[in-house]
Coordinates of all heavy atoms in Angstrom, one line a residue:
M1 N -18.9 10.1 -9.7 CA -17.8 11.0 -9.5 C -17.5 11.3 -8.0 O -18.3 11.5 -7.3 CB -18.2 12.4 -10.2 CG -18.5 12.3 -11.7 SD -17.1 11.7 -12.7 CE -16.0 13.1 -12.6
Y2 N -16.2 11.2 -7.8 CA -15.8 11.6 -6.4 C -15.4 12.9 -6.3 O -14.9 13.5 -7.2 CB -14.6 10.7 -6.1 CG -15.0 9.0 -6.2 CD1 -14.7 8.3 -7.3 CD2 -15.9 8.6 -5.2 CE1 -15.0 6.9 -7.3 CE2 -16.1 7.2 -5.1 CZ -15.8 6.5 -6.3 OH -16.1 5.2 -6.2
K3 N -15.5 13.5 -5.1 CA -15.2 15.0 -5.0 C -13.8 15.1 -4.4 O -13.1 16.1 -4.5 CB -16.2 15.6 -4.1 CG -17.6 15.7 -4.8 CD -18.4 16.7 -4.2 CE -19.9 16.6 -4.9 NZ -20.1 17.5 -5.9
E4 N -13.4 14.1 -3.6 CA -12.0 14.0 -3.1 C -11.4 12.6 -3.1 O -12.1 11.7 -3.2 CB -12.1 14.6 -1.6 CG -12.9 13.9 -0.7 CD -12.7 14.7 0.7 OE1 -11.8 15.0 1.1 OE2 -13.9 14.6 1.4
Y5 N -10.1 12.6 -3.1 CA -9.4 11.3 -3.2 C -8.3 11.3 -2.1 O -7.9 12.3 -1.6 CB -8.7 11.2 -4.6 CG -9.6 11.1 -5.8 CD1 -10.0 12.2 -6.4 CD2 -10.1 9.8 -6.2 CE1 -11.0 12.0 -7.5 CE2 -11.0 9.7 -7.1 CZ -11.3 10.7 -7.7 OH -12.3 10.6 -8.9
K6 N -8.0 10.1 -1.7 CA -6.9 9.8 -0.8 C -6.2 8.6 -1.4 O -6.7 7.7 -1.9 CB -7.5 9.5 0.5 CG -6.5 9.3 1.6 CD -7.2 8.8 3.0 CE -7.7 9.9 3.7 NZ -8.0 9.5 5.0
V7 N -4.7 8.7 -1.2 CA -3.8 7.6 -1.6 C -3.2 7.0 -0.5 O -2.7 7.8 0.4 CB -2.7 8.1 -2.6 CG1 -1.9 6.9 -3.0 CG2 -3.5 8.8 -3.9
I8 N -3.3 5.8 -0.2 CA -2.6 4.9 0.8 C -1.5 4.1 0.3 O -1.7 3.4 -0.8 CB -3.7 4.1 1.5 CG1 -4.7 4.9 2.2 CG2 -2.9 3.1 2.6 CD1 -5.8 4.0 2.8
N9 N -0.4 4.0 0.8 CA 0.8 3.2 0.5 C 1.1 2.2 1.5 O 1.5 2.7 2.6 CB 2.0 4.2 0.1 CG 3.1 3.6 -0.5 OD1 3.1 2.4 -0.9 ND2 4.2 4.3 -0.6
V10 N 1.1 1.0 1.2 CA 1.3 0.0 2.2 C 2.5 -0.9 1.5 O 2.4 -1.4 0.5 CB 0.1 -1.0 2.3 CG1 0.6 -2.2 3.3 CG2 -1.1 -0.2 2.8
M11 N 3.6 -0.9 2.4 CA 4.9 -1.7 1.8 C 5.2 -2.8 2.7 O 4.9 -2.9 3.9 CB 6.1 -0.6 1.9 CG 6.1 0.3 0.7 SD 7.6 1.3 0.6 CE 7.3 2.5 1.9
E12 N 5.8 -3.9 2.1 CA 6.4 -4.8 2.8 C 7.6 -4.5 3.6 O 8.2 -3.4 3.2 CB 6.7 -6.0 2.0 CG 7.8 -6.0 1.0 CD 8.2 -7.1 0.2 OE1 7.9 -8.2 0.4 OE2 8.8 -6.9 -0.9
G13 N 7.9 -5.2 4.6 CA 9.0 -4.8 5.4 C 10.4 -4.9 4.7 O 10.7 -5.7 3.9
G14 N 11.3 -3.9 5.1 CA 12.5 -3.8 4.5 C 13.5 -4.9 4.9 O 14.4 -5.5 4.1
L15 N 13.5 -5.2 6.2 CA 14.4 -6.3 6.7 C 14.1 -7.6 6.1 O 15.1 -8.4 5.9 CB 14.3 -6.3 8.3 CG 14.8 -5.1 9.0 CD1 14.6 -5.2 10.5 CD2 16.2 -4.9 8.7
G16 N 12.8 -8.0 6.0 CA 12.6 -9.3 5.4 C 13.1 -9.3 3.9 O 13.5 -10.3 3.4
A17 N 13.0 -8.2 3.2 CA 13.5 -8.2 1.8 C 14.9 -8.3 1.8 O 15.5 -9.0 0.8 CB 13.1 -6.8 1.2
I18 N 15.7 -7.8 2.7 CA 17.1 -7.8 2.7 C 17.6 -9.2 3.2 O 18.4 -9.8 2.4 CB 17.8 -6.8 3.6 CG1 17.5 -5.3 2.9 CG2 19.2 -6.9 3.8 CD1 18.0 -4.2 3.9
F19 N 17.2 -9.7 4.4 CA 17.6 -10.9 4.8 C 17.1 -12.2 4.2 O 17.8 -13.2 4.2 CB 17.4 -11.0 6.3 CG 18.4 -9.9 7.0 CD1 17.7 -8.9 7.7 CD2 19.7 -10.0 7.0 CE1 18.5 -7.9 8.4 CE2 20.4 -9.0 7.6 CZ 19.9 -8.0 8.4
L20 N 15.7 -12.2 3.8 CA 15.1 -13.4 3.2 C 15.0 -13.3 1.7 O 14.6 -14.2 1.1 CB 13.7 -13.5 3.8 CG 13.9 -13.6 5.4 CD1 12.3 -13.6 5.9 CD2 14.5 -14.9 5.8
G21 N 15.2 -12.1 1.2 CA 15.1 -12.1 -0.3 C 13.7 -11.6 -0.7 O 13.6 -11.1 -1.8
A22 N 12.8 -11.9 0.1 CA 11.4 -11.5 -0.1 C 10.7 -11.5 1.1 O 11.1 -12.2 2.2 CB 10.7 -12.5 -1.1
S23 N 9.6 -10.8 1.2 CA 8.7 -10.6 2.4 C 7.4 -10.6 1.7 O 7.1 -10.9 0.6 CB 9.1 -9.5 3.3 OG 8.4 -9.5 4.4
S24 N 6.2 -10.4 2.7 CA 4.9 -10.3 2.2 C 4.3 -9.0 2.6 O 4.8 -8.4 3.6 CB 4.1 -11.4 2.7 OG 4.0 -11.4 4.0
I25 N 3.3 -8.7 1.8 CA 2.6 -7.4 2.2 C 2.0 -7.5 3.6 O 1.2 -8.6 3.8 CB 1.5 -7.0 1.0 CG1 2.3 -6.9 -0.3 CG2 0.7 -5.9 1.5 CD1 3.1 -5.6 -0.4
P26 N 2.0 -6.6 4.4 CA 1.3 -6.9 5.8 C -0.2 -6.7 5.6 O -0.7 -5.6 5.7 CB 2.0 -5.7 6.6 CG 2.4 -4.6 5.7 CD 2.8 -5.4 4.3
V27 N -0.8 -7.8 5.3 CA -2.3 -7.9 5.0 C -3.2 -7.3 6.2 O -4.0 -6.7 6.0 CB -2.7 -9.3 4.7 CG1 -4.1 -9.4 4.4 CG2 -1.8 -9.7 3.4
K28 N -2.8 -7.8 7.4 CA -3.6 -7.2 8.5 C -3.5 -5.7 8.7 O -4.5 -5.1 9.0 CB -3.0 -7.9 9.9 CG -3.6 -9.3 10.2 CD -5.1 -9.1 10.3 CE -5.7 -10.2 11.1 NZ -7.1 -10.3 11.0
K29 N -2.3 -5.2 8.5 CA -2.2 -3.7 8.5 C -3.0 -3.0 7.5 O -3.8 -2.1 7.6 CB -0.7 -3.4 8.3 CG -0.5 -1.8 8.2 CD 1.1 -1.4 8.0 CE 1.2 -0.1 7.9 NZ 2.6 0.4 7.5
M30 N -2.9 -3.6 6.3 CA -3.8 -3.0 5.1 C -5.3 -3.2 5.3 O -6.0 -2.2 5.2 CB -3.4 -3.8 3.8 CG -4.0 -3.2 2.6 SD -3.4 -3.9 1.1 CE -3.6 -5.5 1.1
E31 N -5.7 -4.3 6.0 CA -7.1 -4.6 6.2 C -7.5 -3.5 7.3 O -8.6 -3.0 7.3 CB -7.2 -6.0 6.9 CG -8.6 -6.4 7.1 CD -8.8 -7.9 7.6 OE1 -8.1 -8.7 6.8 OE2 -9.4 -8.1 8.6
T32 N -6.8 -3.4 8.4 CA -7.1 -2.4 9.5 C -7.3 -1.0 8.9 O -8.2 -0.3 9.2 CB -6.1 -2.4 10.5 OG1 -6.0 -3.7 11.0 CG2 -6.5 -1.5 11.6
M33 N -6.3 -0.5 7.9 CA -6.3 0.8 7.4 C -7.6 0.9 6.6 O -8.2 2.0 6.7 CB -5.0 1.1 6.6 CG -3.8 1.1 7.4 SD -2.3 1.2 6.4 CE -2.5 2.7 5.6
L34 N -7.9 -0.2 5.7 CA -9.0 0.0 4.9 C -10.4 0.1 5.7 O -11.3 0.8 5.3 CB -9.0 -1.1 3.8 CG -8.1 -1.0 2.7 CD1 -7.9 -2.4 1.9 CD2 -8.4 0.2 1.9
N35 N -10.4 -0.7 6.7 CA -11.7 -0.7 7.6 C -12.0 0.6 8.2 O -13.0 1.0 8.3 CB -11.6 -2.0 8.5 CG -11.8 -3.2 8.0 OD1 -12.5 -3.5 6.9 ND2 -11.4 -4.3 8.7
K36 N -10.8 1.3 8.6 CA -10.9 2.6 9.2 C -11.4 3.5 8.2 O -12.3 4.5 8.4 CB -9.6 2.9 9.7 CG -9.6 4.2 10.6 CD -8.2 4.7 10.9 CE -7.9 5.9 10.3 NZ -6.9 6.5 9.8
E37 N -10.8 3.5 7.0 CA -11.2 4.5 6.0 C -12.6 4.3 5.4 O -13.4 5.2 5.2 CB -10.3 4.4 4.7 CG -8.8 4.8 5.2 CD -8.6 6.1 5.7 OE1 -9.4 7.0 5.4 OE2 -7.6 6.2 6.4
V38 N -13.1 3.1 5.3 CA -14.4 2.7 4.9 C -15.5 3.2 5.8 O -16.5 3.7 5.6 CB -14.5 1.1 4.6 CG1 -16.1 0.8 4.4 CG2 -13.8 0.8 3.3
A39 N -15.2 3.1 7.2 CA -16.0 3.6 8.3 C -16.1 5.1 8.2 O -17.3 5.6 8.6 CB -15.4 3.2 9.6
E40 N -15.2 5.8 7.7 CA -15.2 7.3 7.4 C -15.9 7.6 6.1 O -15.9 8.8 5.7 CB -13.9 7.9 7.5 CG -13.3 7.7 8.9 CD -11.8 8.3 9.0 OE1 -11.4 8.8 7.9 OE2 -11.3 8.1 10.0
G41 N -16.5 6.7 5.3 CA -17.0 7.0 4.0 C -16.3 6.7 2.8 O -16.7 7.2 1.7
W42 N -15.1 6.4 2.8 CA -14.2 6.3 1.7 C -14.4 4.9 1.0 O -14.9 4.0 1.7 CB -12.8 6.3 2.0 CG -12.2 7.6 2.7 CD1 -12.3 8.0 3.8 CD2 -11.8 8.6 1.9 NE1 -11.8 9.3 3.9 CE2 -11.6 9.7 2.7 CE3 -11.7 9.1 0.5 CZ2 -11.0 10.9 2.3 CZ3 -11.2 10.2 0.1 CH2 -10.9 11.2 1.0
Q43 N -14.2 5.0 -0.4 CA -14.4 3.6 -1.3 C -13.1 3.4 -2.0 O -12.5 4.5 -2.3 CB -15.5 3.9 -2.2 CG -16.9 3.9 -1.6 CD -18.0 4.0 -2.6 OE1 -17.8 4.6 -3.7 NE2 -19.2 3.4 -2.3
V44 N -12.8 2.2 -2.2 CA -11.6 1.9 -2.9 C -12.0 2.2 -4.6 O -13.0 1.7 -5.0 CB -11.2 0.4 -2.8 CG1 -10.1 0.1 -3.8 CG2 -10.8 0.1 -1.4
V45 N -11.2 3.0 -5.1 CA -11.3 3.4 -6.5 C -10.5 2.6 -7.4 O -10.8 2.0 -8.6 CB -11.1 4.9 -6.8 CG1 -11.2 5.3 -8.2 CG2 -12.0 5.6 -5.9
F46 N -9.0 2.4 -7.0 CA -8.1 1.8 -7.9 C -7.1 1.2 -6.9 O -6.7 1.9 -5.8 CB -7.5 2.8 -8.7 CG -6.5 2.2 -9.7 CD1 -7.0 1.6 -10.8 CD2 -5.2 2.5 -9.6 CE1 -6.1 0.9 -11.6 CE2 -4.2 1.9 -10.5 CZ -4.7 1.3 -11.6
Q47 N -6.5 0.1 -7.3 CA -5.3 -0.5 -6.5 C -4.3 -0.9 -7.5 O -4.6 -1.5 -8.5 CB -5.9 -1.5 -5.6 CG -4.8 -2.4 -4.9 CD -5.5 -3.5 -4.0 OE1 -6.5 -3.2 -3.5 NE2 -4.9 -4.7 -4.3
I48 N -3.0 -0.8 -7.1 CA -1.9 -1.3 -8.0 C -0.7 -1.8 -7.0 O -0.6 -1.3 -6.0 CB -1.4 -0.2 -8.9 CG1 -0.4 -0.8 -9.8 CG2 -0.8 0.9 -8.1 CD1 0.0 0.1 -11.0
V49 N -0.1 -2.9 -7.4 CA 1.1 -3.4 -6.8 C 2.2 -3.1 -7.5 O 2.4 -3.4 -8.8 CB 0.9 -4.9 -6.7 CG1 2.1 -5.4 -5.9 CG2 -0.3 -5.2 -5.9
E50 N 3.3 -2.4 -7.0 CA 4.5 -2.0 -7.7 C 5.7 -2.5 -7.0 O 5.7 -2.8 -5.7 CB 4.6 -0.5 -8.0 CG 4.8 0.3 -6.7 CD 5.1 1.6 -6.9 OE1 5.0 2.1 -8.3 OE2 5.3 2.5 -6.1
Q51 N 6.8 -2.6 -7.6 CA 8.0 -3.1 -6.9 C 9.0 -1.8 -6.7 O 9.1 -1.1 -7.7 CB 8.8 -4.0 -7.7 CG 8.0 -5.5 -7.7 CD 9.0 -6.6 -8.1 OE1 10.1 -6.4 -8.7 NE2 8.5 -7.8 -8.0
K52 N 9.4 -1.6 -5.6 CA 10.2 -0.4 -5.4 C 11.7 -0.9 -5.1 O 11.9 -2.0 -4.4 CB 9.7 0.5 -4.3 CG 8.5 1.0 -4.5 CD 8.0 2.0 -3.4 CE 6.8 2.8 -3.8 NZ 6.7 4.0 -2.9
R53 N 12.6 -0.2 -5.5 CA 14.0 -0.5 -5.2 C 14.4 -0.2 -3.7 O 14.0 0.8 -3.2 CB 15.0 0.3 -6.0 CG 16.5 -0.2 -5.8 CD 17.3 0.4 -7.0 NE 17.0 0.2 -8.3 CZ 17.4 -1.0 -8.9 NH1 18.0 -1.9 -8.4 NH2 17.0 -1.1 -10.2
L54 N 15.1 -1.2 -3.0 CA 15.5 -1.0 -1.6 C 17.1 -1.2 -1.7 O 17.6 -2.1 -2.1 CB 15.0 -2.1 -0.8 CG 15.4 -2.2 0.6 CD1 14.9 -0.9 1.3 CD2 14.8 -3.3 1.4
L55 N 17.7 0.0 -1.4 CA 19.1 0.1 -1.4 C 19.6 -0.2 -2.9 O 19.0 0.2 -3.9 CB 19.9 -0.8 -0.5 CG 19.4 -0.5 1.1 CD1 20.0 -1.5 2.0 CD2 19.9 1.0 1.4
L56 N 20.7 -1.0 -3.1 CA 21.1 -1.2 -4.5 C 20.6 -2.5 -5.1 O 20.3 -2.6 -6.2 CB 22.6 -1.3 -4.4 CG 23.4 -1.2 -5.8 CD1 22.9 0.0 -6.7 CD2 24.9 -1.1 -5.6
F57 N 20.5 -3.7 -4.2 CA 20.3 -4.9 -4.8 C 18.9 -5.6 -4.6 O 18.5 -6.5 -5.1 CB 21.4 -5.9 -4.2 CG 22.7 -5.5 -4.6 CD1 23.6 -5.0 -3.6 CD2 23.3 -5.6 -5.9 CE1 24.9 -4.5 -3.8 CE2 24.5 -5.1 -6.2 CZ 25.4 -4.7 -5.1
W58 N 18.1 -4.9 -3.7 CA 16.8 -5.5 -3.3 C 15.8 -4.8 -3.8 O 15.8 -3.6 -4.1 CB 16.8 -5.7 -1.7 CG 18.0 -6.5 -1.2 CD1 17.9 -7.8 -1.2 CD2 19.1 -6.1 -0.6 NE1 19.1 -8.3 -0.6 CE2 19.7 -7.2 -0.3 CE3 19.7 -4.8 -0.4 CZ2 21.1 -7.2 0.4 CZ3 20.9 -4.8 0.1 CH2 21.6 -5.9 0.6
K59 N 14.6 -5.5 -3.9 CA 13.3 -4.8 -4.2 C 12.3 -5.2 -3.2 O 12.5 -6.3 -2.7 CB 12.8 -5.3 -5.5 CG 13.8 -4.9 -6.8 CD 13.2 -5.4 -8.1 CE 14.1 -5.0 -9.2 NZ 13.7 -5.6 -10.4
R60 N 11.3 -4.4 -3.0 CA 10.1 -4.7 -2.1 C 8.9 -4.2 -2.9 O 8.9 -3.3 -3.6 CB 10.4 -4.3 -0.8 CG 10.3 -2.7 -0.6 CD 10.6 -2.4 0.9 NE 10.6 -0.9 1.0 CZ 10.7 -0.3 2.2 NH1 10.6 -1.1 3.2 NH2 10.8 0.9 2.2
E61 N 7.9 -4.9 -2.6 CA 6.6 -4.5 -3.1 C 5.8 -3.6 -2.2 O 6.0 -3.5 -1.0 CB 5.7 -5.9 -3.2 CG 6.2 -6.8 -4.4 CD 5.2 -8.0 -4.5 OE1 4.5 -8.3 -3.6 OE2 5.2 -8.5 -5.6
A62 N 4.8 -2.9 -3.0 CA 4.2 -1.8 -2.3 C 2.8 -1.9 -3.0 O 2.7 -2.1 -4.1 CB 4.8 -0.5 -2.4
V63 N 1.7 -1.8 -2.2 CA 0.4 -1.7 -2.7 C 0.0 -0.2 -2.6 O 0.1 0.3 -1.5 CB -0.5 -2.5 -1.9 CG1 -1.9 -2.4 -2.4 CG2 -0.1 -4.1 -1.9
I64 N -0.5 0.3 -3.6 CA -0.9 1.7 -3.7 C -2.4 1.8 -3.8 O -2.7 1.2 -4.9 CB -0.2 2.5 -4.7 CG1 1.4 2.7 -4.4 CG2 -0.7 3.9 -4.7 CD1 2.2 3.2 -5.5
I65 N -3.1 2.2 -2.9 CA -4.6 2.1 -3.0 C -5.2 3.5 -3.0 O -4.6 4.4 -2.3 CB -5.2 1.5 -1.8 CG1 -4.5 0.1 -1.6 CG2 -6.7 1.3 -1.8 CD1 -4.8 -0.5 -0.2
T66 N -6.0 3.8 -4.1 CA -6.6 5.1 -4.1 C -8.1 5.0 -3.7 O -8.9 4.1 -4.1 CB -6.6 5.6 -5.6 OG1 -5.3 5.7 -6.1 CG2 -7.2 7.0 -5.8
L67 N -8.4 5.8 -2.8 CA -9.8 6.0 -2.2 C -10.5 7.2 -2.6 O -9.9 8.2 -2.9 CB -9.8 5.9 -0.7 CG -9.0 4.8 0.0 CD1 -8.8 5.1 1.4 CD2 -9.6 3.5 -0.3
G68 N -11.8 7.0 -2.8 CA -12.5 8.4 -3.2 C -13.8 8.4 -2.5 O -14.4 7.4 -1.9
R69 N -14.3 9.6 -2.2 CA -15.8 9.8 -1.7 C -16.3 11.1 -2.1 O -15.7 11.9 -2.8 CB -15.6 9.8 -0.2 CG -15.0 11.0 0.5 CD -15.2 10.9 1.9 NE -14.3 11.9 2.6 CZ -14.2 12.1 3.9 NH1 -14.8 11.3 4.7 NH2 -13.4 13.1 4.3

C-alpha cells in the first residue's frame, strides 16, 4: 500500500502533430523525470497512453504515469 501518489503527464509536441501529422513522445524527457522521481523514493504504479485533441483536427499522445511511495 502506498501512502501518497503523484501523477506525471508527458505529452508529445504540438507543432509536430500539426505540421507532420504525428510526433513522438519525448522519451529522454520522460526518462529524466522518472529518474529524478525514483531517486526521491517514488515507484511507478500505473501508466497509460491516451490521445488528446489538439485544436479541431489534430490529436497528440500523452503518457500519464502514476507514482506512489
Side-chain angles (χ1 to χ4, degrees):
M1 298 297 290
Y2 299 104
K3 298 202 184 258
E4 57 182 326
Y5 292 92
K6 180 187 279 193
V7 177
I8 297 176
N9 188 5
V10 181
M11 284 189 280
E12 69 180 330
L15 293 177
I18 291 173
F19 292 116
L20 302 174
S23 188
S24 63
I25 299 291
V27 177
K28 273 299 201 196
K29 176 183 174 185
M30 186 167 60
E31 182 179 312
T32 303
M33 291 173 68
L34 286 175
N35 284 334
K36 185 185 116 215
E37 299 299 338
V38 167
E40 294 177 5
W42 294 94
Q43 292 181 328
V44 175
V45 176
F46 186 74
Q47 172 181 315
I48 188 168
V49 178
E50 70 173 5
Q51 288 193 353
K52 293 186 172 198
R53 184 174 302 277
L54 175 66
L55 300 175
L56 186 59
F57 302 107
W58 298 279
K59 293 180 184 174
R60 65 179 174 175
E61 288 186 337
V63 178
I64 299 172
I65 304 167
T66 303
L67 306 171
R69 68 173 172 186

